[in-house]
Amino acid sequence: MKKIFTLIMACVVFAGVASAQSDSFKSFRVDAGLLYAMPGGDALDAGVGYYLNPKYHITDNVLLGAKLEGAVMGSANEDAFDVSAVVSYAATFDYYFNTNSFRPFVGMDAGIYSLGSIEFDSSTDLGGGNTIDINGDYDLGSKFGIAPKVGFSYGHFDMALQYNLIFGQEKGYDEYNYMSVKLGFHFGGGKK
């Protein structure tokens, strides 16, 4: 929680001291939506998640903000079911190419990724009954990562493709790097 508060305060202070301000758009907006995650490794198949991203218009084309994002990814076979979760707290930068209703953008997020994993194994014991074993690394720690993105806003609808690249992962856990397709809306930040 301390990390989230520090990140949000840093973004607010930076936005407050910026001398330029948007002439065409309201200063503050909040992006929210869902995502579909496609892991980079072979251990996990796919997943879903959410994001919440308050932003501040520095200029008509530049937005700075803070992002909270979570994704749960999994895989299954006849004997096991693996579930992994990634939660990220990041500073965000978006550059919009125009001020029209259809606004393509590029951007970059950078921040902390918290990683966790659990595995459920089922087997048959000697008495003929089924057992379920739970094992795995529940908390794999926090790592630094970046997430380049491309997308567009149309009115208050948002769509983006983003690749989350997490540094310093232990060998065998590279499946936490993931591509996400994001669909959502933003509230506020419209034309003045």
Side-chain angles (χ1 to χ4, degrees):
M1 197 62 171
K2 210 184 235 188
K3 292 177 192 174
I4 296 171
F5 180 74
T6 303
L7 181 63
I8 290 171
M9 289 307 297
C11 289
V12 169
V13 168
F14 183 76
V17 299
S19 59
Q21 185 177 351
S22 173
D23 292 329
S24 300
F25 294 92
K26 294 177 184 170
S27 298
F28 188 72
R29 80 181 227 188
V30 177
D31 296 5
L34 300 175
L35 63 88
Y36 177 74
M38 297 162 281
D42 295 330
L44 299 170
D45 294 329
V48 294
Y50 67 92
Y51 65 93
L52 182 64
N53 190 186
K55 297 178 180 178
Y56 185 83
H57 271 100
I58 299 300
T59 68
D60 285 343
N61 300 89
V62 176
L63 282 87
L64 295 179
K67 178 184 77 172
L68 169 63
E69 179 174 304
V72 177
M73 298 171 277
S75 66
N77 60 39
E78 64 276 352
D79 295 328
F81 182 77
D82 295 331
V83 177
S84 296
V86 178
V87 176
S88 62
Y89 315 96
T92 66
F93 168 82
D94 296 340
Y95 178 80
Y96 284 82
F97 292 102
N98 63 45
T99 58
N100 302 331
S101 294
F102 179 79
R103 302 183 70 202
F105 71 89
V106 295
M108 177 71 73
D109 301 348
I112 302 298
Y113 289 77
S114 296
L115 314 173
S117 180
I118 190 168
E119 180 179 326
F120 301 91
D121 291 324
S122 64
S123 59
T124 304
D125 63 18
L126 296 176
N130 290 331
T131 62
I132 296 177
D133 295 325
I134 300 173
N135 55 45
D137 297 312
Y138 300 106
D139 182 7
L140 298 173
S142 296
K143 308 292 182 189
F144 176 76
I146 60 171
K149 58 189 168 184
V150 297
F152 68 87
S153 292
Y154 182 72
H156 285 271
F157 172 77
D158 302 314
M159 182 174 180
L161 292 174
Q162 186 166 37
Y163 189 76
N164 295 270
L165 180 60
I166 306 165
F167 300 107
Q169 297 180 63
E170 295 178 27
K171 188 174 173 103
Y173 289 107
D174 63 344
E175 69 268 11
Y176 286 102
N177 295 335
Y178 65 96
M179 171 75 75
S180 61
V181 178
K182 297 180 169 186
L183 297 174
F185 293 90
H186 63 267
F187 308 94
K191 291 216 173 193
K192 291 182 179 177

